[in-house]
Amino acid sequence: MKVAICPGSFDPLTNGHVDIINRAAQVFDKVIVAVLHNPNKKPLFTMEERAHMIKEALKDLPNVEVEYFSGLLVDYARSKGACAIVRGLRAVSDFEIELMQASVNRKLAPEVETVYMMTSNEYSFLSSSVVKEVASFGGDVRCMVPTVVAEKLAEKFGK
Ligand code: ADP
């Protein structure tokens, strides 16, 4: 059973995330979407809200589970018996930080491979920050996020 972890803040989930998770679910037997609890960041959505939106948006993928984690990603990956961490790459600017992260993680846990998937072209501009900014000014984000996320953003920003 090949288990992969898709870690991230997912504040909130975008169609770019969904694309990567979907593709990972075709390659691995089980994919755990791991929502990061980072006490240093002030997210728009709580962990519970983020996890709820992911579960709702991905409910048709039977081999995808949603969980929370904090602390070292490799420790979490090990505790789940995962063989891989899956990350998405959007642009060259993502590369530098990801290379550093993957190198540190390999030192800490050589048995957990980091796998990168290139974003699909239509999502290369898409990030949670862009979505939040557009939504905060009342812009239409329905082409950028799953329906459940668009609804929650509208609630959050009182639209
Ligand atoms: P983090 O803060 O860990 O980068 P994010 O929620 O921003 O968390 O992203 C989670 C993962 O999804 C990362 O691997 C990121 O590169 C990837 N990702 C985010 N947006 C896109 C996108 N538009 N296309 C492909 N991958 C993406």
Side-chain angles (χ1 to χ4, degrees):
M1 176 102 162
K2 298 254 183 225
V3 179
I5 309 284
C6 282
S9 312
F10 305 106
D11 184 41
L13 182 77
T14 70
N15 289 342
H17 294 132
V18 173
D19 176 53
I20 297 291
I21 297 163
N22 231 314
R23 286 159 56 196
Q26 313 305 314
V27 176
F28 294 94
D29 298 310
K30 183 164 111 179
V31 172
I32 302 174
V33 180
V35 183
L36 172 66
H37 171 64
N38 182 348
N40 299 322
K41 274 193 184 171
K42 182 139 181 28
L44 177 66
F45 292 100
T46 65
M47 303 275 293
E48 291 74 20
E49 288 173 321
R50 284 181 269 160
H52 167 79
M53 289 185 277
I54 300 169
K55 279 185 189 148
E56 183 61 29
L58 302 178
K59 62 174 183 241
D60 293 335
L61 292 176
N63 60 337
V64 174
E65 290 175 11
V66 184
E67 287 195 1
Y68 311 116
F69 86 103
S70 57
L72 273 183
L73 175 59
V74 287
D75 287 345
Y76 174 75
R78 267 195 189 123
S79 75
K80 294 288 155 186
C83 62
I85 293 165
V86 175
R87 301 275 298 167
L89 284 180
R90 278 163 293 190
V92 179
S93 51
D94 281 345
F95 181 81
E96 219 165 321
I97 182 105
E98 292 293 340
L99 176 63
M100 200 173 65
Q101 197 81 61
S103 306
V104 171
N105 286 344
R106 180 174 301 124
K107 270 264 177 278
L108 296 172
E111 75 280 18
V112 181
E113 190 60 69
T114 307
V115 175
Y116 288 96
M117 288 189 177
M118 300 299 157
T119 184
S120 300
N121 289 344
E122 65 265 45
Y123 305 129
S124 58
F125 70 96
L126 201 48
S127 67
S128 298
S129 317
V130 161
V131 165
K132 283 184 280 193
E133 187 162 5
V134 172
S136 72
F137 290 113
D140 189 355
V141 293
R142 282 174 301 177
C143 60
M144 302 180 199
V145 295
T147 308
V148 60
V149 177
E151 286 168 2
K152 291 281 173 211
L153 281 165
E155 274 174 31
K156 236 352 148 196
F157 291 111
K159 298 279 157 24

